[in-house]
Amino acid sequence: RLIMRLYGLIGFPLTHSFSHQYFEKKFADANIQDARYKLFPLEDLAQLPLLIQQHTDLQGFNVTIPYKVAILPFLDHISEEAREIGAVNCVKIERNASGLQLSGYNTDIFGFRESLVPVLKPYHRNALVLGTGGAAKAVCFTLQQLGINYALISRSEKNEANKLYSQLTEADIHDNLLIINTTPAGMFPEISKSPDIPYQFLTSRHLLFDLIYNPDITRFMQSGLDAGATVLNGLKMLELQADKSWEIWGD
């Protein structure tokens, strides 16, 4: 009998998941018959130890909103990059005689960097990062590695942001030719929403990167296209981070 290997995604709520479809298709295409990928919507992260106990074939899982930061105390080992960022989106489970070992990684960094670099122009030296969550942490870490200056933009004073949306000026848009949306604003089903920035100042030199992948073109991206800017959604980033997760679990 085939020994099944189980992988999955934890988060809440998990109404639609790229990862589930992606891995199921990956397994089918590669004729991998001993692996499955399941969704584990956890209302409370305290349910995680029980989940791992119940699924003895679970060998790794991805982590999404709202647990990328909250997962850290549950881990025995955290990669250097993930520790520096303070966010984990991939966990490997190793079971041996002495018990369980959970290791945390951040594959968002790899996914973001590899999808951004091919479209960067030499004049994309300054960026606005919209949002301050777990995904923003990976984005900022990557921009730092690439030597790109950035400012964090938030809706509320209580975040570690440099500026509020309401404070953004024409000069901010003019000086920051790279704008990255890490918020869920505009994600299906609320496709009529978009981050509240002064879009009228966008130019053809701007690059707008939306981490959302559903819909293909968000309102944020459409505003960029209307100004002749280059736009990118989060699909390539997701595919790359998923492949990286698979690599980590297989090691």
Side-chain angles (χ1 to χ4, degrees):
R1 166 180 115 73
L2 271 182
I3 305 278
M4 288 304 286
R5 293 177 291 157
L6 179 62
Y7 303 95
L9 175 70
I10 67 164
F12 195 82
L14 295 178
T15 40
H16 61 280
S17 157
F18 160 86
S19 308
H20 182 248
Q21 292 161 320
Y22 188 74
F23 278 108
E24 288 292 319
K25 184 178 184 316
K26 189 181 182 76
F27 297 156
D29 290 349
N31 198 21
I32 299 170
Q33 292 174 7
D34 64 341
R36 287 175 309 146
Y37 193 97
K38 281 179 71 168
L39 298 182
F40 299 109
L42 296 182
E43 269 189 72
D44 185 341
L45 198 53
Q47 301 166 318
L48 181 64
L50 182 62
L51 174 84
I52 293 172
Q53 212 179 319
Q54 287 172 335
H55 295 87
T56 51
D57 50 352
L58 186 64
Q59 301 197 1
F61 56 89
N62 292 116
V63 184
T64 189
I65 296 167
Y67 298 138
K68 288 186 181 188
V69 178
I71 187 86
L72 297 177
F74 291 83
L75 306 173
D76 304 294
H77 169 77
I78 301 169
S79 78
E80 211 173 306
E81 286 188 324
R83 187 183 296 282
E84 204 169 317
I85 292 171
V88 158
N89 73 320
C90 173
V91 175
K92 181 177 184 170
I93 301 175
E94 288 166 290
R95 301 167 194 271
N96 50 38
S98 57
L100 277 178
Q101 174 142 13
L102 301 186
S103 302
Y105 303 87
N106 192 306
T107 62
D108 281 336
I109 307 165
F110 175 79
F112 177 66
R113 188 177 58 225
E114 297 302 304
S115 46
L116 174 68
V117 167
V119 291
L120 275 182
K121 295 278 189 287
Y123 49 78
H124 292 134
R125 303 311 313 148
N126 301 298
L128 298 178
V129 178
L130 312 179
T132 54
K137 288 177 164 56
V139 165
C140 293
F141 180 85
T142 307
L143 294 176
Q144 225 165 330
Q145 282 186 322
L146 294 170
I148 295 173
N149 306 310
Y150 62 86
L152 276 171
I153 313 302
S154 169
R155 277 184 312 198
S156 77
E157 298 276 7
K158 61 181 190 295
N159 287 320
E160 66 272 36
N162 303 84
K163 261 193 172 176
L164 299 178
Y165 285 103
S166 54
Q167 298 169 327
L168 288 174
T169 63
E170 178 173 1
D172 290 319
I173 302 298
H174 182 263
D175 295 342
N176 294 276
L177 296 176
L178 172 58
I179 305 178
I180 301 149
N181 176 37
T182 73
T183 77
M187 186 160 75
F188 180 85
E190 300 192 327
I191 57 172
S192 63
K193 296 192 169 169
S194 62
D196 190 13
I197 66 170
Y199 292 100
Q200 67 270 30
F201 304 124
L202 292 175
T203 66
S204 60
R205 285 163 67 87
H206 278 88
L207 168 57
L208 271 59
F209 192 144
D210 201 330
L211 267 50
I212 293 170
Y213 63 94
N214 182 13
D216 293 340
I217 296 180
T218 58
R219 236 183 114 172
F220 169 75
M221 291 166 65
Q222 188 57 56
S223 302
L225 289 172
D226 293 345
T230 303
V231 303
L232 199 62
N233 70 16
L235 187 61
K236 187 84 187 132
M237 173 179 170
L238 271 167
E239 290 172 351
L240 289 162
Q241 69 83 16
D243 289 341
K244 194 71 172 170
S245 295
W246 181 241
E247 213 177 282
I248 286 168
W249 297 329
D251 277 354

